[in-house]
Amino acid sequence: MKIVIAGAQAVGTHLSKLLSRDNQDCVLIDDDDERLEGLSELDVMTYNASPTSISALKDAGTATADLFVGVTTDESTNMAACMMAHALGAKKTVARIDNYEYLTPQNQRFFQQLGIDSMVYPEVLAAHDIVNGLKMSWVRQRVDVHDGALVLLGIKLREGCEILNQPLKDLCGPNDPYHVVAVKRQGETIIPGGLDTLKLNDLTYFMTTREYIPYIRKIVGKEHYTDVKNVIIMGGGKTAVRAALTVPEYMNVKIIEKSAERCEKLNQLLSDSDTMVIHGDGRDLTLLDEEGIRSTQAFVALTGNAETNILACLTAKKLGVRKTVAMVENLDYVSMAESLDIGTIINKKTVAASHIYQMMLDADVSNLRSLMLVDSEVAEFVAAEGSRVVKRMVKDLGLPFGVTIGGLVRAGQGMLVNGSSQIQPGDSVMVFCHEQKLNNIEKYFKKSTIW
């Protein structure tokens, strides 16, 4: 597959790493030579030029590109580059944007006519993840499949969990309402088998259906966790705005912002919501006390500084806040943040890159998520008529080691999968694997005449 990426900043760099791993035919264009030099270890071709240079786009092979991605930090550059790439012959284009108005259905159709097939707003994607996490205070990460027909829950196992130290084959049988699909333990990622056991402090990913979420909550010992009603957000950037506008009505949100000018802007942007905007420093303990931190169930740190966000979440935990969320844009800090047990970690560039990456798979993939903390991915593949997965029971498919099928959706109904399950054409199947293996799974879901 031929991919051209315009922009070697955060999203473009992470996307290039994913593609380098998969040995894709990729060209990365950027007008900053120093940024490109920093990517010399990746197996991607770099081109030092303006992303809106027609000659540069031609030289980079845009005319034969299967996908063109504009992910510079400038929205106008991305949109212009995508329109030019479309005119040159690129089959599909994706632009990173900063204007929420563009995402309305009517505007998306308008931009598609101009040659921009899809638009990605990282802050909106990140806000969606944050709000999903706030709805369930006892969960580190939640991913809904087909409006919740299947649900993926990432949970930190503590004292009181009743399924510790037991072989998974005894816990996740054909009649049990969940599967354990990934585990992070002391820095190591495990795609577990039947003989593996769960240990104290494991970050464990469960696949289940919506009606069994209370059951999962019970067996992991999280029933005593208080539901989130009061939320304090530190930092009033775009992600904070989108999160405040999309939280459920029963949640009370306060945003603490250092800039008086930004506070005025926030009051305008949030005029239709009940969000309270407070001018101050979210690290000020006196201010936090005044604003009721001790009766707050969730603290979300969304400043542009990863260290500040991590320290603020640690402070909030010491003050009794059960649920904390930190924006950590520097990937070097992610493992440290996890080791400090600060709670949910959000990284906009991995969220955005994963969203774009799904478009590069040959099979019919409608959803892909990078499970950053467990170095794994979950992809939703649609089984094609005549594909390998519909010809044998799951136990006989010969899936690679480190790959597991967690569940499927058939005619809108979520179902868990076991060894005796038979996948049917049209089923949406959730596959879990280490990052390096995802590209090898497509062949099982594409139409094939040879078994």
Side-chain angles (χ1 to χ4, degrees):
M1 193 173 190
K2 173 80 173 182
I3 305 106
V4 178
I5 301 173
Q9 288 93 352
V11 177
T13 298
H14 189 70
L15 194 53
S16 297
K17 290 179 180 178
L18 294 176
L19 295 172
S20 174
R21 178 195 72 196
D22 289 346
N23 298 313
Q24 298 280 9
D25 181 5
C26 177
V27 179
L28 181 59
I29 305 174
D30 197 279
D31 56 10
D32 189 322
D33 195 42
E34 290 185 7
R35 280 198 290 262
L36 295 177
E37 286 178 359
L39 302 174
S40 57
E41 76 280 2
L42 299 181
D43 185 21
V44 297
M45 182 180 295
T46 58
Y47 199 97
N48 182 214
S50 168
T52 54
S53 165
I54 295 177
S55 59
L57 293 175
K58 288 181 177 179
D59 291 344
T62 301
T64 59
D66 297 288
L67 182 65
F68 181 90
V69 183
V71 284
T72 73
T73 55
D74 182 72
E75 175 186 74
S76 298
T77 298
N78 297 334
M79 300 179 76
C82 283
M83 287 187 280
M84 295 166 71
H86 173 78
L88 289 171
K91 293 179 182 177
K92 183 181 290 186
T93 64
V94 182
R96 175 182 178 173
I97 62 169
D98 297 313
N99 190 332
Y100 185 74
E101 179 188 12
Y102 293 165
L103 294 179
T104 62
Q106 61 268 30
N107 285 338
Q108 287 189 61
R109 289 192 292 271
F110 169 72
F111 285 115
Q112 285 170 359
Q113 294 172 354
L114 295 178
I116 304 173
D117 297 301
S118 183
M119 291 176 285
V120 174
Y121 193 160
E123 288 77 10
V124 169
L125 298 174
H128 180 269
D129 280 3
I130 291 168
V131 172
N132 252 355
L134 293 179
K135 291 176 182 177
M136 303 173 70
S137 61
W138 50 282
V139 169
R140 291 288 177 92
Q141 185 174 7
R142 170 177 173 165
V143 178
D144 290 320
V145 182
H146 286 269
D147 295 324
L150 287 174
V151 182
L152 177 68
L153 304 174
I155 304 170
K156 191 84 167 183
L157 303 185
R158 305 293 193 186
E159 296 283 357
C161 176
E162 57 186 66
I163 57 173
L164 298 176
N165 305 312
Q166 303 173 59
L168 290 180
K169 64 182 179 64
D170 297 335
L171 298 173
C172 306
N175 298 319
D176 290 299
Y178 68 92
H179 288 329
V180 175
V181 294
V183 177
K184 181 70 172 288
R185 178 181 300 155
Q186 297 179 348
E188 179 186 1
T189 297
I190 302 168
I191 302 295
L195 298 179
D196 288 305
T197 60
L198 301 178
K199 304 293 184 182
L200 188 67
N201 295 321
D202 282 352
L203 176 59
T204 305
Y205 282 83
F206 296 81
M207 175 63 80
T208 188
T209 52
R210 180 182 291 164
E211 63 267 31
Y212 286 105
I213 290 177
Y215 176 76
I216 301 297
R217 185 174 187 173
K218 175 183 178 297
I219 64 174
V220 298
K222 304 280 187 177
E223 289 182 301
H224 63 287
Y225 275 57
T226 305
D227 290 336
V228 172
K229 292 184 179 178
N230 300 314
V231 183
I232 291 179
I233 299 177
M234 182 178 75
K238 294 177 181 178
T239 304
V241 172
R242 300 319 316 170
L245 288 173
T246 52
V247 296
E249 290 185 359
Y250 63 83
M251 290 187 189
N252 303 308
V253 179
K254 295 179 180 179
I255 296 179
I256 302 177
E257 167 59 42
K258 289 174 62 176
S259 167
E261 182 180 356
R262 181 60 181 172
C263 284
E264 292 182 10
K265 183 66 174 177
L266 288 172
N267 281 319
Q268 296 174 15
L269 294 171
L270 300 170
S271 60
D272 292 333
S273 75
D274 295 327
T275 303
M276 180 182 294
V277 178
I278 300 161
H279 179 218
D281 190 334
R283 298 168 295 181
D284 185 336
L285 296 182
T286 302
L287 176 62
L288 290 175
D289 262 330
E290 290 175 353
E291 296 305 329
I293 187 70
R294 299 181 193 277
S295 60
T296 294
Q297 293 81 40
F299 181 87
V300 184
L302 300 178
T303 76
N305 186 288
E307 298 98 320
T308 297
N309 294 339
I310 292 170
L311 291 173
C313 284
L314 288 173
T315 301
K317 276 192 168 291
K318 288 185 177 180
L319 293 173
V321 179
R322 176 76 74 174
K323 177 78 174 183
T324 57
V325 181
M327 182 76 78
V328 180
E329 286 302 281
N330 188 334
L331 288 175
D332 294 333
Y333 289 131
V334 169
S335 59
M336 178 188 72
E338 170 62 13
S339 67
L340 292 172
D341 202 20
I342 64 167
T344 301
I345 298 168
I346 298 291
N347 183 282
K348 288 184 295 186
K349 68 182 178 183
T350 60
V351 172
S354 293
H355 187 79
I356 297 169
Y357 185 59
Q358 73 182 41
M359 303 172 189
M360 302 175 188
L361 300 174
D362 292 333
D364 185 357
V365 184
S366 55
N367 194 11
L368 174 84
R369 295 299 299 273
S370 176
L371 303 181
M372 178 177 58
L373 296 183
V374 286
D375 304 317
S376 301
E377 284 169 340
V378 49
E380 179 188 349
F381 289 92
V382 177
E385 182 78 49
S387 62
R388 294 185 182 186
V389 293
V390 303
K391 296 180 180 180
R392 298 285 189 278
M393 288 189 292
V394 169
K395 65 182 180 180
D396 298 324
L397 290 176
L399 295 173
F401 178 77
V403 174
T404 186
I405 295 176
L408 60 83
V409 178
R410 178 180 300 157
Q413 182 69 37
M415 306 177 187
L416 297 180
V417 170
N418 58 63
S420 300
S421 297
Q422 180 73 55
I423 297 171
Q424 297 180 9
D427 287 350
S428 295
V429 184
M430 301 304 295
V431 178
F432 299 81
C433 60
H434 290 296
E435 289 182 337
Q436 293 81 359
K437 295 181 179 291
L438 183 60
N439 205 45
N440 298 325
I441 306 303
E442 296 176 76
K443 60 186 178 184
Y444 288 87
F445 291 86
K446 294 192 296 184
K447 185 175 181 180
S448 174
T449 58
I450 300 175
W451 172 255

